[in-house]
Amino acid sequence: MYDEKGEEYLDCINNVAHVGHCHPDVVRATCDQVAVLNTNNRYLHDELVLCARKLTSLMPDPLSVCFFVNSGSEANDLALRLARTHTKNYDIITLDHAYHGHLTSIHDISPYKFNLPGGGGKQEWVHVAPCPDVYRGMFKDVDHPGKDLGKMYADEVRDICKKARDEGRTIAAFIAESLQSCGGQIILPDNYLRNVFRYVREAGGVCIADEVQVGFGRVGKHWWAFQLQGEDIVPDIVTMGKPMGNGHPVAAVITTREIAQNFNDTGVSYFNTYGGNPVSCAVANAVIDVVERQKLREHATRVGNHLLNSLRQLALKHSIIGDVRGVGLFLGIELVKDRDARTPATAEAQHVLSRMKEEYVLLSTDGPDQNVLKMKPPMVFTHENADHVVKLLDEVLTEMKNLEVSIEEGSPVRQKIAEDPDYESSRSEKKIKIDDRRPEKMTKA
């Protein structure tokens, strides 16, 4: 990417520009279709039918019915409607730290948002299960060596189902990101969805896989991240968005014929003015074609494995790196102050972000403590890009080793540097010491 001054940045976080910024094939498909026809989806068009066929062909049976919408938020909202209509139940089970979108209905099932000050808190019909984080969650790998942590976390969902039933409440659905992104780049432990899906279905609910941030081959081995849990693990509803249009607003919901039929039988038909319009579907078709033709799934596996191994080697050198996890081009680097206590290094993570940006690399942080460096680059991210990021990260962490870093959370480092007239602005001299007792005070080391 380039800024207004023409400076070049390596984008490591844009999972929306799935096949690369301004991919020529996607641009061409957009221009060609908009020059012929773009209208609402009341009018049937070949691109819509072709897109629905493509998407359902990438899904396991019996996921065979496609609804088109404009965004991941809309997709998840429709998924809730489908679930409630089908089950005739209402309550939703979600994961702690989950984010599913910005609509009111979806905000209510996103602890990442509703637990914030001013977020409104949890509704009575929402049940929050522990995030299945084996590094810093309720059940840690270090505390339960050799145990089936997936089953242990899933049993928490079983207990939620039982408690809801005892209180006279009914479960309509369990919803989870197939890999939790905003929650800190969490890889679900083995056997988690296998057991959760069983418990939820026994309680009368359906299971929704949110692939909005991680779908379309990002995990490399599969088209969809839920498939990492086993070929026999099949949700009842799958939602998708972001990468589907490479930045163009298009999203979808895939479900079973039975659920779709029950929804249709209500007589309340589903209509979305722009969802599935010819241009959106042409763009989505082009994105899928590029992923297939350029073998980007295989590419994500090769580059992702190389990056994961390189980062794990880096962790041997820098004790601030507590955990490196990921699959394909979905990776998280958890920074900690103490490896034994696994204390989150929040301020240090913000410092790393700012320093990497100064070196023209765009990263981001997430997780409940904002201490996880996340990487979800476009699928065309190369070995050379990966090596460049690791090299710079090594330099930044080495720079920090002999410095006390306690940056005021949320304050941009570049702004602080600009406010200090004595600070050298040369890219080779950006070494900073921050006084723990006065986090707003930054002095040249």
Side-chain angles (χ1 to χ4, degrees):
M1 296 185 76
Y2 301 86
D3 66 13
E4 72 280 5
K5 297 178 182 178
E7 298 281 9
E8 182 179 285
Y9 289 82
L10 177 61
D11 186 353
C12 301
I13 51 175
N14 202 326
N15 62 323
V16 175
H18 194 55
V19 298
H21 296 276
C22 304
H23 192 288
D25 291 359
V26 178
V27 171
R28 187 178 307 111
T30 307
C31 294
D32 288 350
Q33 184 56 50
V34 81
V36 175
L37 174 70
N38 195 30
T39 184
N40 67 53
N41 73 358
R42 195 178 299 280
Y43 304 93
L44 190 62
H45 188 272
D46 286 352
E47 292 291 349
L48 184 150
V49 177
L50 292 171
C51 191
R53 284 180 174 173
K54 280 180 182 288
L55 290 173
T56 54
S57 73
L58 301 176
M59 287 285 165
D61 292 333
L63 296 168
S64 60
V65 179
C66 180
F67 294 85
F68 287 107
V69 294
N70 300 298
S71 70
S73 295
E74 282 193 9
N76 284 326
D77 178 77
L78 177 56
L80 295 192
R81 289 179 60 190
L82 290 168
R84 285 168 170 160
T85 300
H86 178 69
T87 64
K88 297 180 175 57
N89 297 336
Y90 196 80
D91 288 18
I92 305 295
I93 301 174
T94 188
L95 294 182
D96 203 7
H97 315 310
Y99 175 67
H100 295 289
H102 64 85
L103 299 181
T104 301
S105 60
I106 305 306
H107 173 97
D108 286 342
I109 61 168
S110 299
Y112 182 78
K113 290 295 185 182
F114 71 61
N115 279 332
L116 291 172
K122 187 179 75 68
Q123 302 291 327
E124 64 176 359
W125 50 269
V126 176
H127 307 271
V128 180
C131 170
D133 176 4
V134 302
Y135 182 68
R136 288 185 58 231
M138 174 184 289
F139 303 119
K140 302 179 184 64
D141 50 8
V142 68
D143 296 332
H144 304 277
K147 298 290 186 179
D148 187 345
L149 295 180
K151 174 69 160 53
M152 292 173 68
Y153 273 110
D155 285 351
E156 294 296 308
V157 177
R158 177 200 61 193
D159 293 345
I160 286 173
C161 293
K162 181 180 183 302
K163 185 173 185 290
R165 183 178 64 247
D166 292 345
E167 293 175 350
R169 307 196 68 90
T170 56
I171 302 298
F174 166 85
I175 184 170
E177 300 156 86
S178 301
L179 299 174
Q180 198 178 62
S181 181
C182 293
Q185 301 294 93
I186 303 299
I187 310 299
L188 303 184
D190 292 343
N191 294 320
Y192 180 69
L193 291 184
R194 182 182 307 280
N195 287 289
V196 166
F197 283 11
R198 176 165 59 89
Y199 296 147
V200 171
R201 285 164 176 159
E202 288 173 353
V206 297
C207 303
I208 304 169
D210 181 341
E211 293 274 338
V212 171
Q213 300 208 52
V214 295
F216 289 90
R218 175 160 296 280
V219 298
K221 300 176 184 178
H222 306 281
W223 275 97
W224 313 107
F226 68 79
Q227 293 173 311
L228 293 168
Q229 292 274 298
E231 294 291 344
D232 59 327
I233 304 304
V234 182
D236 302 292
I237 303 170
V238 179
T239 61
M240 59 194 69
K242 294 186 188 300
M244 184 174 170
N246 213 55
H248 186 91
V250 59
V253 179
I254 313 292
T255 190
T256 67
R257 186 167 297 278
E258 180 186 8
I259 291 175
Q261 188 62 54
N262 285 341
F263 185 67
N264 186 64
D265 289 346
T266 63
V268 182
S269 62
Y270 180 76
F271 179 74
N272 187 312
T273 302
Y274 297 112
N277 72 75
V279 173
S280 293
C281 288
V283 171
N285 286 333
V287 169
I288 296 172
D289 288 344
V290 170
V291 173
E292 291 178 326
R293 187 173 63 256
Q294 294 186 199
K295 301 186 184 312
L296 292 183
R297 280 179 47 209
E298 293 85 343
H299 178 80
T301 297
R302 289 194 303 272
V303 176
N305 286 342
H306 172 67
L307 181 54
L308 194 63
N309 290 332
S310 298
L311 290 169
R312 285 175 174 166
Q313 288 297 312
L314 197 62
L316 299 177
K317 181 178 178 181
H318 299 285
S319 61
I320 193 174
I321 299 178
D323 190 40
V324 177
R325 51 186 178 261
V327 57
L329 288 175
F330 178 93
L331 300 99
I333 308 158
E334 183 139 4
L335 302 188
V336 295
K337 294 181 179 180
D338 182 285
R339 277 188 174 174
D340 292 331
R342 302 187 175 183
T343 311
T346 300
E348 292 83 349
Q350 304 311 308
H351 177 67
V352 170
L353 283 194
S354 296
R355 283 292 293 114
M356 292 295 280
K357 184 179 179 182
E358 289 168 3
E359 301 299 339
Y360 303 94
V361 172
L362 302 179
L363 291 172
S364 185
T365 58
D366 241 317
D369 295 295
Q370 294 292 313
N371 68 311
V372 180
L373 304 178
K374 67 177 182 180
M375 294 188 68
K376 298 181 294 183
M379 294 278 278
V380 292
F381 202 74
T382 66
H383 276 79
E384 292 74 21
N385 295 151
D387 290 342
H388 182 61
V389 171
V390 173
K391 176 178 178 293
L392 286 178
L393 184 58
D394 182 23
E395 291 176 2
V396 169
L397 294 180
T398 299
E399 171 185 295
M400 291 170 59
K401 260 186 178 177
N402 298 320
L403 304 173
E404 293 182 58
V405 180
S406 178
I407 304 171
E408 182 182 13
E409 295 179 27
S411 60
V413 170
R414 187 180 290 276
Q415 178 181 340
K416 290 293 186 181
I417 294 172
E419 291 172 355
D420 185 351
D422 297 324
Y423 190 82
E424 296 292 339
S425 60
S426 166
R427 289 179 65 184
S428 63
E429 296 182 29
K430 291 172 181 169
K431 297 195 175 184
I432 304 166
K433 179 177 180 181
I434 300 102
D435 190 331
D436 277 333
R437 293 164 298 177
R438 299 179 60 195
E440 76 284 355
K441 176 65 176 175
M442 300 177 63
T443 58
K444 182 180 168 184

